[in-house]
Amino acid sequence: MRDVLYLEEIEQAEALLKPQRIEVLRQLAEPRTCGEVGAILAQTPQRVYYHVKRLVEAGLVEQVSERKVRGISEGIYQATARSYWLSPRLVGHIGLGRARDELSLGHLLDLVEEVQADIAALDRSVPELPSIGVSGDIRVPPERRPEFLAELQATLQRLFTKYGGAEGDPFKLVVACYPNQQGEAS
């Protein structure tokens, strides 16, 4: 089972975005038969199989084995991933084009989409993918925002200059700064 399956086909999204199928998919985190899933969800095995069949067609579930019960073959199914990411490209940009200004939220959304696609494309069969994620909350008074942005840009420029050569393993560095609505004081 993969950690993440990046969904780029509209058929995959359609198969996934049905509440009943999401429940079936959750139950298939562990290998199970349609009868076992049906018992958990209080559904008939036939109804569960209908949803499992659509999930298999979309590549979200796979048959991992089969067993005979009273002469009848019974499939054992499992989800293909622990989580599923929908590509923002499935919907595309709606309305006017986003601003390309580095200080705009539109640019930040484009950047997040790019990071999501890059991460989804990584080869997860590699035993260890070196990466780091850092997150923190800061408070910047409005009058000090220009100073903060200048210092942040200077710090990043020093890193890009120091490590921007042609030698070594390539990494992408992304820094995002946006208003934190949950961080508001009560």
Side-chain angles (χ1 to χ4, degrees), residues 35-135:
E36 292 168 336
V37 172
I40 293 167
L41 299 177
Q43 299 282 326
T44 65
Q46 294 82 1
R47 182 154 180 85
V48 170
Y49 179 71
Y50 169 80
H51 293 297
V52 167
K53 185 176 175 186
R54 298 296 172 265
L55 292 167
V56 167
E57 290 169 357
L60 308 176
V61 165
E62 62 189 357
Q63 184 173 340
V64 294
S65 64
E66 189 175 81
R67 67 181 180 202
K68 292 246 185 210
V69 177
R70 289 173 273 185
I72 298 173
S73 294
E74 185 174 46
I76 299 173
Y77 299 91
Q78 185 173 19
T80 56
R82 294 187 202 312
S83 63
Y84 299 86
W85 291 355
L86 292 175
S87 170
R89 289 176 188 86
L90 288 172
V91 174
H93 296 282
I94 298 172
L96 299 174
R98 293 186 186 152
R100 291 293 171 182
D101 175 8
E102 286 183 343
L103 299 179
S104 74
L105 286 178
H107 177 70
L108 181 57
L109 288 170
D110 286 343
L111 189 59
V112 168
E113 289 175 14
E114 183 180 324
V115 169
Q116 183 178 351
D118 287 349
I119 291 171
L122 291 174
D123 180 4
R124 286 192 167 62
S125 66
V126 175
E128 192 165 320
L129 292 171
S131 61
I132 183 173
V134 178
S135 176

Side-chain angles (χ1 to χ4, degrees), residues 157-172:
Q157 191 57 51
R158 279 194 305 275
L159 286 172
F160 291 142
T161 301
K162 183 175 181 178
Y163 296 103
E167 296 179 20
D169 296 329
F171 286 89
K172 182 176 260 187

Side-chain angles (χ1 to χ4, degrees), residues 139-161:
R139 295 196 179 261
V140 180
E143 67 275 5
R144 295 194 63 198
R145 284 183 192 155
E147 175 189 351
F148 166 73
L149 291 174
E151 186 177 346
L152 179 60
Q153 285 178 320
T155 300
L156 292 171
Q157 191 57 51
R158 279 194 305 275
L159 286 172
F160 291 142
T161 301

